[in-house]
Amino acid sequence: MSLPRCALLWARLPAGRQAGHRAAVCSALRGSKAPNTSLFVPLTVKPQGPSADGDVGAELTRPLDKNEVKKILDKFYKRKEIQKLGADYGLDARLFHQAFISFRNYIMQSHSLDVDIHIILNDICFSAAHVDDLFPFFLRHAKQIFPVLECKDDLRKISDLRIPPNWYPEARAIQRKIIFHSGPTNSGKTYHAIQKYLSAKSGVYCGPLKLLAHEIFEKSNAAGVPCDLVTGEERVTVEPDGKQAAHVACTVEMCSVTTPYEVAVIDEIQMIKDPARGWAWTRALLGLCAKEIHLCGESAAIDLVTELMYTTGEDVEVRTYKRLTPISVLDHALESLDNLRPGDCIVCFSKNDIYSVSRQIEIRGLESAVIYGSLPPGTKLAQAKKFNDPDDPCKILVATDAIGMGLNLSIRRIIFYSLMKPSINEKGEREIEPITTSQALQIAGRAGRFSSKFKEGEVTTMHREDLNLLKEILSRPVDPIKVGCNIDIFVDFSQVDGQYFVCNMDDFKFSAELIQHIPLSLRVRYVFCTAPINKKQPFVCSSLLQFARQYSRNEPLTFSWLRRYIKWPLLPPKNIKDLMDLEAVHDVLDLYLWLSYRFIDMFPDASLVRDLQKQLDGIIQDGVHNITKLIKISETHKLLNLEGLSAERSSRLSGTLKSQARRNRSTKALGSKAAEPLSPAAGEKSLASRLVQQGLLTADMLKQLEKEWMTQQTEHGKERTESGTYSKGTRRKKKDPDSD
């Protein structure tokens, strides 16, 4: 069977079935693992109706006795030899049973059968043929209901990913020099690699974040080295005629593996192990056409890189760096936010903890900057600048592990609010586990950076009982990386060598299922499925669906259409919910820009949308600047209305109760018994009193919060009277009829 025919059969399957068949064939082709045949969805083959030419088989022989035929089919099904033969053709017991039921229904319910099968059934009835002679007809039917069986050999050929270096003939045609700059955070390893990049005649920088690509882009041009910028959502050329510069800074997914360079820099090479994005580092490492390739990252990746380069015939030179400034783990925990000092950074692993800690700091009369992953890059930079500014009263930073890379911060002391980080396992289940040694080192290393005013770094925890666990985590050696991540269009049914693993395609499958009912060509559907979206954001997911629907109708997504869709213009947020809504809108604009570089005609207004996004970034920056006010408005209402709250919601309101649960889990990780969960009645009845008992609120504070909330409610009531009821979610300005 030809490859085009195989691809055509694949394209005819709905997206959900494509994903299912891919995953199942993946397992079937590897051979070392039993196929998950539950993912094979049988197609329907309808029985044949009356033929215009009559029943030719009956005319040549005789009409079939359906009772006799049923006995023959049942005998066929029970034969062990037939079942074994079916297994040889990829039909395990489950598929064999499904195929037989469909085959039997087809035979019994058809008004007339094809001449060949009619004759063979007639011969079996008269003992002129053996029941096993039915197998070719059964197999033909099985391939009709499971089309992937028909192109099994072709799929095996095109999904053989066992020698990835061979995918990049341009890179294999040159002898590349590989230099691995190994060292901890703040050791100068990236600095030395960038110096080589800047002094080269041409070069490419491949970074893990847009922020890092922007930083190298700006640094290169400031040094008089013309440099372009390429990310998933943005293209910037610096030459006045639009010609490409000899240097380019890009996110690692966007690097070109066909353009020749003198020097390439691949930053954070240890991310080659990442299940979702590691394929991009594998691709860059194996495919970049550069005379010198400088890798920057943890020593844990050295062995894997050396082994991979052995398969390409290239040697690896390792240059080791030590940390430029000392860092120490303190012997005491912070224990109370009253003990905060200028230059402190409290690291949390959830937004709820971010909000809770920020509010508690504000109650103490201190000002804090806030940085977390879903903030736009511009807002993160603005908050970093605010924290770093010696003349700004903001001296405390509250952040997630988003500070681990991409931001230059003047931090004296890192304080882990918790050591438990939520994650999603291979089954898609939410888990909470202690952070890894690699994660702890990456975050702790942000304290006392060489370029900051603090020449020594300190690390500790918020809670005393977490301190020993932190010391234990930091003292462990970082586990060597053993396999690199790989990907291809048919990744879910690929054969891979031991040095590679197949990339996690959960997000791809999620998008495929989301848009499977929309009529799109296979190529367009594939591009939409690879669009980077946060599947936790309902508005972003619904926007992908809406964009795909517009595309299928051949209706360009213009600037005017987009403004109406997001209900622009938007007002600054009045509470945390509004802020989260604005962040989601920013992600939707990112999605538009990403698609605009893939479908220029259908997403024609990228420059206008980018200007709109900058305005939105400014609105979000204002909101984050006043985040404690937003938290106060949101939290105060919740604290004073506990009677109507469920236990689940009550637990979300209190960062204190949440961190207590995490401390219990941390204690459990150390071998102690975890505390029993809070009962609904206790959660609803005593939240405020618990906060008072733990010293986070006083009776006077509680009264002050009540007073502020009552004032806020009065003002909010006046606003509603003056301007009418606001729409649910983010508040929006009244629409100007001519605004579009």
Side-chain angles (χ1 to χ4, degrees):
M1 184 180 188
S2 67
L3 289 179
R5 168 65 178 159
C6 176
L8 181 61
L9 279 172
W10 197 266
R12 286 176 177 172
L13 287 175
R17 291 182 178 175
Q18 288 176 14
H21 281 290
R22 283 193 190 103
V25 175
C26 170
S27 301
L29 296 185
R30 285 175 185 151
S32 61
K33 179 180 173 184
N36 181 8
T37 56
S38 64
L39 298 174
F40 280 70
V41 182
L43 302 181
T44 301
V45 177
K46 295 181 179 180
Q48 292 190 105
S51 172
D53 297 328
D55 192 344
V56 179
E59 292 176 5
L60 293 175
T61 57
R62 69 181 180 92
L64 294 173
D65 183 338
K66 290 297 178 78
N67 291 326
E68 287 295 322
V69 170
K70 186 176 184 302
K71 291 178 183 179
I72 291 171
L73 293 175
D74 290 343
K75 183 179 179 181
F76 172 83
Y77 174 73
K78 293 176 182 178
R79 283 183 58 76
K80 297 295 183 184
E81 294 83 357
I82 292 297
Q83 294 175 14
K84 185 178 182 301
L85 191 58
D88 292 340
Y89 282 89
L91 293 167
D92 67 358
R94 183 179 182 279
L95 295 185
F96 182 86
H97 177 74
Q98 285 184 296
F100 174 76
I101 295 299
S102 177
F103 180 62
R104 185 178 64 185
N105 290 341
Y106 175 81
I107 296 292
M108 300 300 293
Q109 296 174 17
S110 292
H111 284 80
S112 61
L113 296 170
D114 291 338
V115 175
D116 51 0
I117 192 170
H118 185 109
I119 291 175
I120 199 69
L121 283 170
N122 182 73
D123 288 350
I124 295 172
C125 288
F126 284 95
S127 301
H130 195 276
V131 68
D132 291 356
D133 294 338
L134 274 177
F135 184 79
F137 304 99
F138 166 73
L139 183 62
R140 182 175 67 187
H141 185 89
K143 289 181 177 181
Q144 284 183 285
I145 66 170
F146 297 119
V148 75
L149 295 173
E150 192 171 9
C151 52
K152 182 178 176 182
D153 292 337
D154 292 325
L155 291 176
R156 178 181 282 112
K157 295 175 184 176
I158 63 178
S159 63
D160 190 346
L161 309 182
R162 288 174 292 185
I163 313 178
N166 291 351
W167 304 345
Y168 309 104
E170 292 90 348
R172 301 290 78 79
I174 62 176
Q175 186 64 32
R176 307 181 305 171
K177 182 178 181 181
I178 313 295
I179 299 137
F180 195 123
H181 300 266
S182 167
T185 303
N186 193 28
S187 60
K189 58 184 183 296
T190 307
Y191 169 81
H192 287 89
I194 294 301
Q195 293 307 305
K196 279 286 188 179
Y197 165 82
L198 293 174
S199 63
K201 294 179 182 178
S202 63
V204 57
Y205 168 83
C206 308
L209 300 172
K210 289 184 283 187
L211 278 174
L212 286 171
H214 271 274
E215 181 183 337
I216 300 302
F217 166 72
E218 293 172 355
K219 184 178 293 186
S220 182
N221 286 297
V225 180
C227 176
D228 293 341
L229 174 69
V230 178
T231 70
E233 300 80 23
E234 191 172 9
R235 309 284 191 280
V236 178
T237 54
V238 295
E239 298 292 353
D241 58 357
K243 183 181 178 181
Q244 290 185 354
H247 287 70
V248 60
C250 63
T251 46
V252 65
E253 287 88 349
M254 301 305 297
C255 70
S256 168
V257 292
T258 56
T259 305
Y261 301 102
E262 184 176 346
V263 168
V265 176
I266 305 175
D267 208 354
E268 306 292 352
I269 185 62
Q270 72 276 2
M271 290 190 70
I272 196 170
K273 67 179 179 181
D274 186 87
R277 298 182 62 204
W279 64 269
W281 276 265
T282 302
R283 173 177 173 269
L285 176 61
L286 297 176
L288 281 172
C289 298
K291 296 178 181 178
E292 282 189 13
I293 296 184
H294 293 259
L295 311 175
C296 306
E298 297 175 0
S299 60
I302 292 176
D303 290 346
L304 175 64
V305 168
T306 303
E307 203 169 338
L308 294 182
M309 293 301 95
Y310 177 79
T311 66
T312 65
E314 296 163 326
D315 295 327
V316 179
E317 176 188 340
V318 179
R319 298 178 185 175
T320 305
Y321 302 82
K322 294 183 178 180
R323 186 177 167 87
L324 298 174
T325 56
I327 187 169
S328 59
V329 182
L330 301 180
D331 290 327
H332 57 274
L334 187 70
E335 297 197 66
S336 171
L337 296 178
D338 294 329
N339 298 324
L340 287 171
R341 304 196 308 256
D344 279 348
C345 172
I346 303 177
V347 177
C348 307
F349 294 114
S350 78
K351 276 189 182 180
N352 281 352
D353 285 347
I354 288 275
Y355 301 150
S356 174
V357 172
S358 301
R359 179 71 178 110
Q360 293 170 38
I361 291 173
E362 196 265 348
I363 288 174
R364 287 164 170 77
L366 301 175
E367 191 172 337
S368 64
V370 173
I371 295 175
Y372 51 86
S374 59
L375 287 177
T379 304
K380 290 177 185 173
L381 290 171
Q383 289 291 295
K385 183 178 180 181
K386 175 183 172 69
F387 173 70
N388 290 337
D389 187 353
D391 298 324
D392 196 289
C394 172
K395 302 300 180 187
I396 308 296
L397 176 63
V398 184
T400 64
D401 52 348
I403 64 164
M405 60 179 71
L407 291 168
N408 292 316
L409 297 163
S410 187
I411 298 172
R412 179 206 302 269
R413 179 171 58 173
I414 289 286
I415 302 158
F416 285 94
Y417 189 69
S418 168
L419 296 175
M420 311 303 288
K421 182 178 179 181
S423 62
I424 305 297
N425 64 19
E426 295 178 354
K427 298 179 181 178
E429 300 167 339
R430 184 179 175 86
E431 294 181 338
I432 299 182
E433 297 180 332
I435 57 175
T436 65
T437 298
S438 178
Q439 291 168 337
L441 290 171
Q442 186 80 20
I443 297 168
R446 308 306 289 179
R449 289 182 67 82
F450 182 74
S451 58
S452 74
K453 64 180 180 181
F454 302 115
K455 301 307 177 186
E456 294 185 12
E458 297 175 343
V459 185
T460 188
T461 60
M462 179 67 189
H463 307 291
R464 186 188 310 170
E465 53 267 42
D466 288 343
L467 191 54
N468 286 335
L469 179 58
L470 175 63
K471 291 179 178 180
E472 180 190 331
I473 291 173
L474 291 174
S475 65
R476 297 173 191 157
V478 179
D479 294 332
I481 301 170
K482 297 180 180 179
V483 289
C485 185
N486 217 338
I487 189 172
D488 189 74
I489 187 170
F490 297 114
V491 68
D492 278 334
F493 49 86
S494 307
Q495 302 176 86
V496 293
D497 272 341
Q499 295 168 339
Y500 302 91
F501 68 93
V502 179
C503 184
N504 187 327
M505 295 292 285
D506 288 346
D507 290 345
F508 183 96
K509 292 176 183 176
F510 174 84
S511 297
E513 292 173 1
L514 190 67
I515 64 172
Q516 65 176 331
H517 62 284
I518 298 177
L520 297 168
S521 69
L522 184 60
R523 175 189 169 274
V524 172
R525 186 180 299 278
Y526 179 79
V527 172
F528 269 93
C529 289
T530 56
I533 64 169
N534 182 356
K535 59 184 181 184
K536 295 179 182 178
Q537 290 274 16
F539 183 55
V540 179
C541 297
S542 63
S543 296
L544 178 70
L545 185 63
Q546 185 62 36
F547 289 0
R549 186 175 290 118
Q550 286 284 115
Y551 188 103
S552 71
R553 296 170 181 163
N554 200 30
E555 298 175 1
L557 290 87
T558 63
F559 182 60
S560 297
W561 180 91
L562 187 64
R563 281 170 58 98
R564 290 192 299 272
Y565 177 71
I566 64 173
K567 297 181 172 61
W568 187 268
L570 307 175
L571 279 177
K574 284 293 186 75
N575 53 50
I576 290 297
K577 175 64 169 63
D578 288 351
L579 181 61
M580 294 174 66
D581 286 347
L582 290 176
E583 292 169 8
V585 173
H586 193 279
D587 286 350
V588 169
L589 298 185
D590 260 349
L591 175 61
Y592 181 100
L593 293 171
W594 190 91
L595 290 167
S596 72
Y597 288 104
R598 281 80 182 168
F599 307 114
I600 298 175
D601 294 340
M602 297 300 292
F603 297 82
D605 295 327
S607 59
L608 294 173
V609 172
R610 186 167 292 108
D611 291 340
L612 189 70
Q613 192 179 47
K614 290 177 181 177
Q615 295 179 50
L616 178 57
D617 199 340
I619 296 173
I620 294 175
Q621 287 182 36
D622 291 341
V624 174
H625 181 73
N626 298 308
I627 193 166
T628 54
K629 295 179 181 178
L630 306 184
I631 296 169
K632 182 164 61 176
I633 292 169
S634 302
E635 288 291 307
T636 304
H637 182 275
K638 296 174 184 177
L639 285 172
L640 297 178
N641 287 273
L642 296 177
E643 296 301 325
L645 294 175
S646 66
E648 180 183 0
R649 190 175 179 192
S650 295
S651 65
R652 289 203 306 268
L653 303 182
S654 171
T656 304
L657 296 181
K658 191 168 186 178
S659 59
Q660 178 64 44
R662 286 184 176 163
R663 293 203 298 275
N664 289 339
R665 286 191 290 270
S666 177
T667 305
K668 185 177 181 180
L670 290 170
S672 300
K673 186 178 179 181
E676 293 297 322
L678 189 67
S679 68
E684 292 176 358
K685 182 178 180 181
S686 59
L687 179 58
S689 62
R690 283 174 179 268
L691 293 176
V692 173
Q693 288 171 5
Q694 294 171 8
L696 297 171
L697 281 179
T698 65
D700 290 339
M701 285 180 182
L702 203 56
K703 290 179 181 178
Q704 180 63 26
L705 287 172
E706 183 176 2
K707 182 179 178 181
E708 291 176 0
W709 178 73
M710 294 298 291
T711 302
Q712 178 64 34
Q713 287 297 101
T714 303
E715 294 175 354
H716 194 55
K718 290 179 179 179
E719 290 177 3
R720 284 182 175 273
T721 301
E722 293 171 359
S723 58
T725 303
Y726 297 121
S727 62
K728 185 178 180 181
T730 304
R731 295 171 62 253
R732 312 187 188 274
K733 292 180 181 177
K734 289 185 176 180
K735 193 161 184 71
D736 181 352
D738 300 324
S739 61
D740 292 331

